[in-house]
Amino acid sequence: MANRIVLNETSYFGIGAIAMIPQEAASRNFTKAFVVTDKDLLKFNVTQKVTTILKQANIPFEIYDNVKPNPTIENVLTGVKAFAVSQADFILAVGGGSSIDTSKAIGIVTNNPEFADVKSLEGVAATKNKSVPIVAVPTTAGTAAEVTINYVITDEVSVKKMVCVDPKDIPVLSIIDPEMMASMPRGLTAATGMDALTHAIEGYITKGAWVMTDMFELKGIELIAKYLPAAVFEPDNLQAREGMGIAQYIAGMGFSNVGLGIVHSMAHSLGAVYDTPHGVANALLLPYVMEYNAPATGEKYREIARNMGVANVDSMNEAEYRRAAVDAVISLSKTIGIPQKLREFGAKEEDLPKLAQMAYNDVCTPGNPRDTNIEDILGIYRQAF
Ligand SMILES: NC(=O)c1ccc[n+]([C@@H]2O[C@H](COP(=O)([O-])OP(=O)(O)OC[C@H]3O[C@@H](n4cnc5c(N)ncnc54)[C@H](O)[C@@H]3O)[C@@H](O)[C@H]2O)c1
Ligand SMILES: [Fe+2]
């Protein structure tokens, strides 16, 4: 079997990196930007950091802000229409995973109109044309949507988060600028950072993991353990913001190419039913699923523990290093104030069987290192409840 690696074309990292947008746009002959963002980012003057640069460079643009967290098919469809009217020739996504994912769906549907129902894009769709070119400027440090081949759209009618996997959606240019992330409040920094840690851990233990993606995931884990607490507790610490921006991107380089596991499957169900923020759902479920998956992970938890900063892992036996890896994740999660039980954000016990069924059917489930079933997933939800 051949292993495939797909990464985005060009990326810039560092304070002030958004200043590179005009020259990169010019080198690609882009003439007008369709800026996909959300209303909160406009309210908090985050998107304006980028549009100011467009204005200074005389690049015309139009703003599309109909993006909600856990974006919907409606967000995509009105975006496709607005893009067509705008006469823009590239999409400039400024936001978290929700804005970048919506951009990917708009770009794919625009150039592959036979998928205009959006639903048919779930899983691996046979699109023929590349997306409208996307420039991605993440404002959270978690999803790595700027370097992944995935986007996640909620089907509100079927109450389902659809994971769409398509290398044709990958941004041509990504700008990871810590100043775009500095305004994140504490809870959002914590949750999105734990999303990144979940990507790194699930991507490291997933069935398809191999030496190249392991390299990314282990470095991602190390950098997240190093920088996430400071990013949470010292919001203006741009070194920590930059560290997290790089860490989540590195984790994305890996997981995008090998898949995830049932932390994500279970988080997607919570997102679809309760609109739970993606990072919060992952963070809460991660230790429970790690315990469940441990028997199917060989020596990998030793390396997770090592990269989380646990000392003396080489002298530990299997049970000890597995426990140490899970405890290190719990400790980080508690330190940064992640809720520890599902009921804390409104999940209902009677919904758990339905959630387990949905999670089992999720696109991420086959990648889980341990073969699973609906009863086991329900058991994990019950533990986390
Ligand atoms: N494409 C992928 O590979 C991938 C991977 C993981 C998750 N996702 C998806 O991404 C979505 C979650 O994205 P997210 O966690 O980045 O959050 P988000 O984009 O949903 O944003 C959450 C909230 O944070 C606000 N926000 C974002 N940046 C901010 C900033 N700098 N300052 C102040 N407020 C800010 C937004 O306005 C919004 O209200 C989910 O739908 C999830 O399923 C996609
Ligand atoms: Fe995620």
Side-chain angles (χ1 to χ4, degrees):
M1 195 195 83
N3 287 309
R4 181 182 77 174
I5 288 283
V6 182
L7 302 171
N8 71 304
E9 239 170 60
T10 305
S11 298
Y12 288 91
F13 300 85
I15 296 169
I18 52 172
M20 299 307 298
I21 294 172
Q23 88 186 48
E24 283 287 333
S27 77
R28 291 175 161 80
N29 291 322
F30 294 159
T31 59
K32 183 173 181 186
F34 184 72
V35 178
V36 176
T37 191
D38 69 42
K39 292 188 174 63
D40 285 344
L41 289 165
L42 286 165
K43 190 166 86 190
F44 299 127
N45 284 317
V46 181
T47 311
Q48 286 84 337
K49 292 182 185 175
V50 172
T51 53
T52 300
I53 285 173
L54 298 181
K55 281 181 193 160
Q56 285 163 354
N58 291 318
I59 299 174
F61 64 90
E62 241 155 82
I63 290 186
Y64 177 72
D65 67 2
N66 181 30
V67 176
K68 69 171 277 298
N70 296 322
T72 63
I73 291 180
E74 187 270 339
N75 293 159
V76 175
L77 292 179
T78 54
V80 170
K81 283 198 191 120
F83 178 79
V85 173
S86 75
Q87 306 269 323
D89 53 7
F90 74 109
I91 297 175
L92 179 48
V94 183
S98 296
S99 296
I100 300 175
D101 283 0
T102 305
S103 300
K104 289 175 169 178
I106 293 172
I108 286 287
V109 170
T110 298
N111 284 353
N112 298 274
E114 63 276 28
F115 291 94
D117 66 332
V118 185
K119 280 178 165 218
S120 56
L121 290 166
E122 188 178 9
V124 181
T127 52
K128 295 197 176 57
N129 303 309
K130 275 194 176 181
S131 163
V132 173
I134 298 171
V135 174
V137 184
T139 63
T140 60
T143 72
E146 70 279 7
V147 63
T148 73
I149 58 174
N150 317 313
Y151 54 102
V152 188
I153 303 295
T154 299
D155 175 350
E156 288 183 299
V157 178
S158 313
V159 193
K160 183 176 195 195
K161 279 193 97 166
M162 304 185 301
V163 180
C164 309
V165 185
D166 188 351
K168 296 189 177 70
D169 68 15
I170 203 152
V172 295
L173 174 66
S174 294
I175 310 278
I176 294 80
D177 185 334
E179 283 179 326
M180 295 301 294
M181 299 157 179
S183 53
M184 271 196 284
R186 188 174 282 187
L188 184 65
T189 304
T192 52
M194 289 299 286
D195 182 25
L197 182 66
T198 309
H199 296 155
I201 291 177
E202 290 210 289
Y204 180 55
I205 62 177
T206 192
K207 283 190 178 130
W210 60 293
V211 59
M212 195 176 296
T213 55
D214 288 355
M215 171 182 83
F216 294 132
E217 307 307 13
L218 288 175
K219 192 69 190 176
I221 294 168
E222 179 200 317
L223 293 178
I224 292 162
K226 179 171 175 193
Y227 288 114
L228 183 53
V232 171
F233 293 111
E234 305 159 31
D236 298 327
N237 181 338
L238 283 181
Q239 198 195 348
R241 294 284 188 195
E242 182 166 11
M244 278 306 299
I246 294 170
Q248 59 90 37
Y249 182 97
I250 294 174
M253 292 167 87
F255 90 81
S256 169
N257 287 291
V258 287
L260 293 165
I262 60 169
V263 182
H264 269 77
S265 309
M266 296 173 71
H268 290 149
S269 308
L270 294 170
V273 174
Y274 307 117
D275 220 4
T276 312
H278 177 72
V280 174
N282 276 324
L284 193 149
L285 293 165
L286 178 60
Y288 298 99
V289 175
M290 280 180 78
E291 273 183 38
Y292 171 75
N293 278 335
T297 55
E299 292 231 3
K300 286 196 160 181
Y301 281 29
R302 193 198 298 275
E303 300 315 313
I304 293 174
R306 191 194 310 278
N307 284 277
M308 290 291 298
V310 177
N312 302 325
V313 291
D314 288 314
S315 60
M316 292 181 184
N317 66 29
E318 184 183 84
E320 287 167 344
Y321 65 66
R322 287 181 175 170
R323 188 68 255 155
V326 178
D327 284 347
V329 169
I330 294 174
S331 163
L332 174 61
S333 166
K334 283 188 175 161
T335 303
I336 61 175
I338 295 289
Q340 299 296 308
K341 290 287 170 190
L342 284 180
R343 63 163 78 86
E344 290 176 51
F345 51 82
K348 297 195 194 75
E349 198 162 13
E350 62 268 28
D351 289 343
L352 299 184
K354 177 179 73 182
L355 291 165
Q357 173 84 55
M358 290 167 71
Y360 182 72
N361 292 330
D362 189 89
V363 170
C364 293
T365 299
N368 198 61
R370 179 168 167 186
D371 288 330
T372 189
N373 54 59
I374 295 171
E375 292 69 41
D376 285 4
I377 294 176
L378 179 57
I380 301 170
Y381 272 133
R382 289 222 159 97
Q383 268 185 298
F385 187 77

